[in-house]
């Protein structure tokens, strides 16, 4: 069964360092999402891609976060510099179609701890 | 802004009992509603997807209902098992910006 892949699964870093997360969506899924989930909370959308284009990054802290999906397939989310408050689970999801109104499938996530 | 609330936040039930988890949302203009399961430190597993035109979906021991007009969904898990212990998240799809709005989850423990 096709799955969303993410790496690394766990990342520990010191504040002010740079970190990067990778996501490979289900093959053929045009829409890709990055969510952040703080412990005890529900996930919140950071950025949404339609193919290689950003369609929603209104909740992305652009002073330190960046995201790209250069060829419209896999994607990278970067944080530079990391802050203590960035400790969270970073989840990637994908869906078919172009409207975004489709079921979202989630990857296993990357657990980030900032010391 | 769409607000999603899940009650109760946490519950424990003895094995074999039926589970009832509630989700409420403030804006009925949704295109679908998804129930997810999340094990500690893991990603989300989709359990059921209900389109806005549907009233319920069933999969095995799971049944989810949707009442858009009252802004409510209920997830029923029949004959609970210890393996059902997890956090269950409700998410609604919001028209216009194509995003999911999540609740904080129902943390469930099934006691053997």
């Amino acid at each position: 069964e096709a799955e969303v892949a993410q790496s690394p699964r766990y990342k520990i870093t010191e504040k002010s360092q740079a970190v990067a997360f990778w996501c490979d969506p289900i093959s053929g899924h045009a829409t890709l999402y990055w969510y952040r989930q703080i412990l005890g909370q529900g996930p919140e959308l950071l950025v949404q891609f339609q193919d290689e284009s950003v369609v929603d990054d209104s909740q992305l802290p652009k002073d330190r976060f960046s995201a790209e999906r250069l060829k419209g397939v896999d994607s990278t989310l970067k944080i530079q510099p990391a802050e203590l408050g960035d400790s969270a689970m970073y989840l990637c999801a994908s869906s078919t179609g172009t409207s975004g109104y489709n079921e979202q499938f989630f990857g296993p996530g990357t657990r980030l701890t900032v010391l | 802004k769409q607000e999603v609330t899940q009650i109760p936040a946490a519950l424990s039930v003895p094995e074999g009992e039926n589970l009832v988890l509630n989700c409420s949302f403030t804006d009925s203009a949704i295109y679908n509603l998804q129930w997810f399961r999340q094990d500690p430190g893991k990603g989300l597993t989709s359990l059921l997807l209900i389109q806005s035109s549907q009233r319920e979906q069933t999969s095995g021991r799971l049944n989810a209902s949707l009442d858009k007009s009252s802004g409510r969904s209920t997830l029923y898990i029949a004959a609970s098992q210890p393996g059902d212990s997890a956090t269950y998240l409700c998410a609604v799809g919001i028209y216009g910006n194509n995003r999911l709005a999540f609740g904080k989850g129902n943390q469930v423990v099934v006691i053997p």
Side-chain angles (χ1 to χ4, degrees):
Chain A
E1 182 176 318
E3 296 180 340
V4 177
Q6 288 189 248
S7 66
R9 295 292 306 277
Y10 305 92
K11 179 70 177 179
I12 300 174
T13 190
E14 294 185 345
K15 65 179 182 178
S16 79
Q17 297 298 304
V19 293
F21 314 130
W22 178 80
C23 172
D24 191 12
I26 294 172
S27 179
H29 281 197
T31 308
L32 185 147
Y33 310 81
W34 283 102
Y35 290 85
R36 177 170 61 183
Q37 184 181 25
I38 296 170
L39 190 64
Q41 305 291 316
E44 293 187 339
L45 182 70
L46 291 174
V47 61
Q48 176 185 343
F49 289 92
Q50 187 64 49
D51 299 311
E52 68 275 9
S53 300
V54 173
V55 296
D56 186 354
D57 62 357
S58 57
Q59 303 301 311
L60 188 71
K62 298 181 187 63
D63 57 335
R64 297 184 301 107
F65 286 64
S66 64
E68 61 183 15
R69 193 184 183 197
L70 294 177
K71 297 183 179 179
V73 181
D74 58 338
S75 174
T76 302
L77 178 69
K78 298 179 181 178
I79 308 175
Q80 183 174 16
E83 296 181 352
L84 295 177
D86 296 331
S87 294
M89 175 76 86
Y90 290 83
L91 296 162
C92 179
S94 69
S95 67
T96 61
T98 57
S99 70
Y101 297 153
N102 298 291
E103 184 175 6
Q104 295 186 25
F105 297 88
F106 283 76
T110 296
R111 167 72 69 186
L112 173 66
T113 301
V114 182
L115 303 176
Chain B
K1 178 184 176 183
Q2 177 74 269
E3 300 287 343
V4 181
T5 303
Q6 292 188 244
I7 295 172
L11 71 161
S12 297
V13 298
E15 182 178 0
E17 275 201 7
N18 298 329
L19 277 165
V20 180
L21 306 178
N22 296 301
C23 171
S24 62
F25 46 95
T26 54
D27 188 344
S28 61
I30 65 170
Y31 58 86
N32 64 25
L33 184 145
Q34 281 188 256
W35 281 95
F36 295 90
R37 170 183 172 138
Q38 187 172 34
D39 293 295
K42 306 294 185 183
L44 277 62
T45 301
S46 181
L47 297 175
L48 291 168
L49 168 71
I50 310 176
Q51 299 292 353
S52 61
S53 58
Q54 298 175 318
R55 296 298 299 269
E56 67 176 347
Q57 280 287 344
T58 299
S59 176
R61 295 185 294 113
L62 277 59
N63 174 275
S65 64
L66 173 62
D67 184 342
K68 272 182 48 178
S69 61
S70 65
R72 294 179 184 175
S73 176
T74 301
L75 178 66
Y76 298 88
I77 303 177
S80 61
Q81 303 170 359
D84 295 329
S85 298
T87 296
Y88 293 84
L89 292 158
C90 166
V92 297
I94 303 171
Y95 276 117
N97 55 21
N98 302 347
R99 66 174 60 186
L100 288 178
F102 283 84
K104 294 183 179 180
N106 305 106
Q107 187 175 2
V108 172
V109 175
V110 180
I111 304 166

